[in-house]
Amino acid sequence: MVQPIAQPGTPIGGQGQLIPAHARERLATMRQKRFFTSDLSVNEFLLVKEAGFTPLGLVMGSSIYSISAQHLAQAQPGEVMPLTQSLYQARELAMERMEAEADELGADGIVGVRLTVSVHAWGTNIIEFLAIGTAVHHTAAQGSFRTRSGKPFTSDLSGQDFWTILNAGYRPVGFVMGNCVYYVGPPAQQAAQNGELAGPTQALYDSRELAMERMQAEAEALEAEGIVGVTVDETNHTWGPTVLEFSAVGTAVVAIRADHQIPRPVLVLPVGD
Amino acid sequence: MTQDLPKHARERIAEMRAKKLFTSDLSVSEFLLVKEAGFDPLGLVMGSSIYQIAPTIPNLAPGQPGCEITDMTRALYHARELAMNRMEEEADELGADGVVGVRLTVRLGTNPTKQWWILYREWQDWARSTGFPRSSTLLGMGWERWPDVAAPMWSHYCQQLGWSPEPPAPWTRPRAQTAYSFGPNAAEFLAIGCAVRHRGGESYKNIHGKPFQSDLSGQDFWTLIRSGYRPVGFVMGNCVYYVPPQLLQAPPADSCELGAYTHSLYDARELATERLQDEAEALGATGIVGVTFAEREHSGRFAPWNAGNGALQSGEVIELFVVGTAVVPSDAGGTLPKPTLVLSANDEPEPLPGSSSQRGE
Amino acid sequence: MAGRTIDLARSLARVQSGGIPLRAEERLAEEAGPNRKLFTSDLSVNEFVLARDAGCTPIAQLMGSSIYHIGQIPDYKGKTAELTVISDGHRTSRRRALSRLYTEAQLVGADAVIGVQLRDRMITMGARGKGGDDGGEVTEFTVVGTAIRAPFLTHRPGEPIVTDLSGQDLWALIQDGWEPCGFFFDFCKYHGWHVTSGPSGGGEVTTANHVVETARDLVIGRVTAQAQQAAAEFVVGSGLTIDVREVPCGYGGCTLDDLDVNVSWFGTGIRRIPGWKEPPGDVPPLLLSMMSLKKRRDNSLDEEDDDAADVERAAEEAEENALEVAEYNEPDDA
């Protein structure tokens, strides 16, 4: 059974608030003046409105984490649980802060979520996670699209995909993710002949599956029907070739009606290049 | 065999089945088109294998023009097969009719010399664009000791800009490309796809009773089904062929074709194509669409990697492979309406990095 | 290998004379015959659908390839002219590759070969001396495409049309009454002596421009002649590449440099389909497309780059080395 590894978010806004003071000010202004900023393109903006939602504003959250390699002093290849949890928390924190901003705006959800990782001070094992998206609320029935626990939905769907999926009878409930940090171990002595390396195969395969399983568990917690747009990635971060982090992310969806008929597509050939 | 799948794979698939939770790496458009074509996405399935492929130079008689390195061909083939079979196994566990959008990636163990060369070139590019004289960046045959020149250069640069303490140089940044270290000749083969099942209960499994596999995207799958065909398998043929160094030589003043080398290339292609067609015929297919033809040459497979004329010493290794989707006409038949020419008022949306709209259209 | 053994000497002789090996010939003859069981094509699903709508059926995937050694040329210091040995070498290798593709197309009884993709790369780098490219490299030129039956195409029987038009392009052209009628190409390597000035002075370097234009005109002229011979009305396709490089002139200590220009062009000729009637005109509608039949993205198997990229870089490096050496040479005989 997969144990959840989420930890409650750390307040950084003073007085136990999740988001910093300046962010709260900016959001309050946006709410008052009905003035929104967003990085939706013109087409995305129109389609989001078509779907019955109003864009409220750009929201973001970030977290900076130190991922030192001290845990790698261990001898065995295998999952490095402290690093897995650390990286998960880093992402979770960035997402939570973004959601908190959306909450301040009174949003139903966030579309176009981008979760990126970057290394700033090279050689120091410090990475930053940044989550950015556009908060929206349902024009006619505000509050009706939140998740079952009353939080705004998150999704990495673009404006176009958002419109498309709503029209097909689904709605997004959450941006779900799972990860697993795996220490490969020192390179094996050169094997004598060609053949599968059974140990590493099982291990890496297993680690990827674990990341995907954790992602699925998150979707189940949201009582979703499924996850679309899953990407499974791996990266070394700053550790070099002996350590890999596998991550699986996607958007969890639930049905809003029983049938999911879409009009039969018309075949077109664009003459623009 | 199910025992072949790792523990977490079996757990995950069992949970997907029990909770009826579907997962898919299809984009939104692909997802809906697959449904429109009459199929339900069931779940993301994958298979992988880490394989050791040690090359051996064949012993060739002096006049012989070159030959296949059968061990390597078989090894590459076997590795891919293992990965794809495990993916098929996962799909079977889910009760799928097939897998669409199969992506097959191969990640080779990092060749240290080549990685070093890439860093050397990075440093050179930086030095030139910053304005250091060209002559100071050309190290010729002694390029491997480039840090001896690069480090003082970087320090000097930082001093001039007043950066203190000195930050790490750009070529010491973590690489964007994931690096693996299973050993010098090991490679990871990874197959990922989305398992689907026909909603109406019609069987779309192939003649072996297994779920079909295809690298078709959601859009291509829809188009294929609607035009009266169905995929039966993802077929491949490959060939690793050795070309001895003498086939690369010609009198310096002569402009001439290297006939024997050309012949070898054709030979390799024949072998690969034959195998591709055999696989398709074994599945009872009537055709193969979307054939991708990939030909790569690596002289560094035997000798330590050496940019430039390595092939003249060690010979050349041609890796040729062809993959495609085998199809048969479907009993359901189908007629596609005539397409229309349009001038779209829709801009191509800028895909958000990491978002689902980046795949598919 | 399938049990058939072939006469290697005869097969090699075929290749030496510009043909295709025996094994390939046998297989392709089978593909055209009555025992043919399956078609192969590198057409994407969309192209396949469009091609069928236009009345074409794919037969087989074809290849033409030539590995060519460009002879080293004698010193060409002081000359402004086309380097005919190198130009001819490139042209011959392209011609051989395309002719092999053509032979394969004839063997399978095709009306046309569409979606032709070209690939040109270096296998080993040549000598790099003063004055720029001296030849001596081994290049590989490969073309792949899909042979189709297209009964509506007008061409002489047994003479298939080769084109780099994709299935989509072909379909769109045919809707408007155009058909491909030939595939043309040319290559030119041109050298200009003392055409660039040293560090002083600004403004346009007119002699350098002139060299580039001459090279381009040579290629355009030759391609146009081919097009006229094939009775084409237009040449479409943007396979025109111009590569210009400044190189030392070979006389040590000289401040003026030379120019090395490579021009390569591939294009498809098109003409009106004889007897085609224009349908009632209508403006294409504006639509939010969902099911776009655009060209597919390249399907690539995610492997490391092969040697070609490295050989190119090593060649550049060697050339730069020669440049540096030349610049710091003692002035020698003039």
Side-chain angles (χ1 to χ4, degrees), chain C:
Chain C
M1 275 275 216
R4 297 184 308 236
T5 42
I6 49 140
D7 186 338
L8 186 60
R10 249 182 70 213
S11 193
L12 276 170
R14 290 281 178 121
V15 168
Q16 310 286 15
S17 64
I20 59 175
L22 285 178
R23 200 170 259 128
E25 212 177 276
E26 283 171 19
R27 174 178 64 84
L28 289 165
E30 256 177 45
E31 304 238 0
N35 296 325
R36 183 176 77 89
K37 280 184 252 155
L38 54 79
F39 68 84
T40 53
S41 86
D42 60 359
L43 300 180
S44 69
V45 170
N46 290 341
E47 288 184 275
F48 174 63
V49 159
L50 285 173
R52 277 197 334 156
D53 185 76
C56 316
T57 40
I59 309 171
Q61 199 207 10
L62 308 178
M63 177 183 97
S65 180
S66 171
I67 289 135
Y68 206 87
H69 174 261
I70 313 264
Q72 258 182 279
I73 55 176
D75 207 358
Y76 53 90
K77 283 201 285 226
K79 301 199 185 83
T80 293
E82 181 175 7
L83 300 179
T84 42
V85 171
I86 299 184
S87 288
D88 284 344
H90 281 269
R91 219 179 290 125
T92 310
S93 80
R94 282 162 169 74
R95 190 176 304 124
R96 284 208 155 190
L98 283 165
S99 117
R100 288 188 176 119
L101 184 78
Y102 190 79
T103 309
E104 295 203 346
Q106 284 175 316
L107 280 171
V108 299
D111 290 312
V113 184
I114 65 172
V116 166
Q117 285 170 39
L118 313 139
R119 186 186 181 183
D120 172 21
R121 55 156 170 197
M122 246 197 295
I123 308 258
T124 59
M125 64 184 189
R128 286 288 187 280
K130 295 173 279 193
D133 195 325
D134 285 328
E137 66 258 20
V138 174
T139 61
E140 178 197 330
F141 191 74
T142 303
V143 289
V144 290
T146 298
I148 58 169
R149 254 184 218 106
F152 59 86
L153 278 179
T154 52
H155 64 95
R156 282 196 279 267
E159 289 185 15
I161 309 280
V162 173
T163 165
D164 59 353
L165 294 177
S166 66
Q168 284 92 343
D169 294 337
L170 190 70
W171 185 86
L173 281 174
I174 287 167
Q175 300 309 306
D176 211 36
W178 294 89
E179 64 171 6
C181 62
F183 192 58
F184 319 120
F185 69 93
D186 195 54
F187 181 91
C188 170
K189 190 173 187 75
Y190 203 91
H191 188 87
W193 176 68
H194 273 185
V195 291
T196 67
S197 55
S200 66
E204 190 178 32
V205 188
T206 43
T207 35
N209 266 345
H210 185 69
V211 162
V212 176
E213 275 171 26
T214 312
R216 205 188 56 210
D217 286 343
L218 276 172
V219 167
I220 291 180
R222 295 195 276 237
V223 169
T224 313
Q226 293 173 32
Q228 278 167 347
Q229 244 198 329
E233 290 178 45
F234 291 101
V235 177
V236 296
S238 56
L240 175 67
T241 48
I242 304 184
D243 178 38
V244 180
R245 269 194 272 181
E246 188 176 339
V247 292
C249 69
Y251 291 107
C254 181
T255 52
L256 293 177
D257 282 333
D258 292 358
L259 217 62
D260 236 5
V261 183
N262 282 354
V263 182
S264 163
W265 193 16
F266 290 92
T268 295
I270 59 170
R271 64 165 173 234
R272 279 274 174 207
I273 298 177
W276 182 83
K277 298 263 188 304
E278 179 118 28
D282 52 355
V283 179
L286 297 176
L287 276 185
L288 258 184
S289 65
M290 181 183 184
M291 214 18 246
S292 165
L293 290 170
K294 302 204 304 276
K295 298 180 216 258
R296 66 172 172 169
R297 283 147 297 144
D298 258 303
N299 194 8
S300 65
L301 292 136
D302 199 334
E303 274 195 49
E304 59 175 353
D305 277 327
D306 73 346
D307 283 356
D310 297 328
V311 176
E312 289 277 352
R313 293 200 131 195
E316 267 173 45
E317 172 112 345
E319 188 153 320
E320 285 153 14
N321 264 318
L323 208 136
E324 292 298 321
V325 164
E327 278 179 18
Y328 292 99
N329 252 352
E330 301 303 313
D332 50 32
D333 57 291

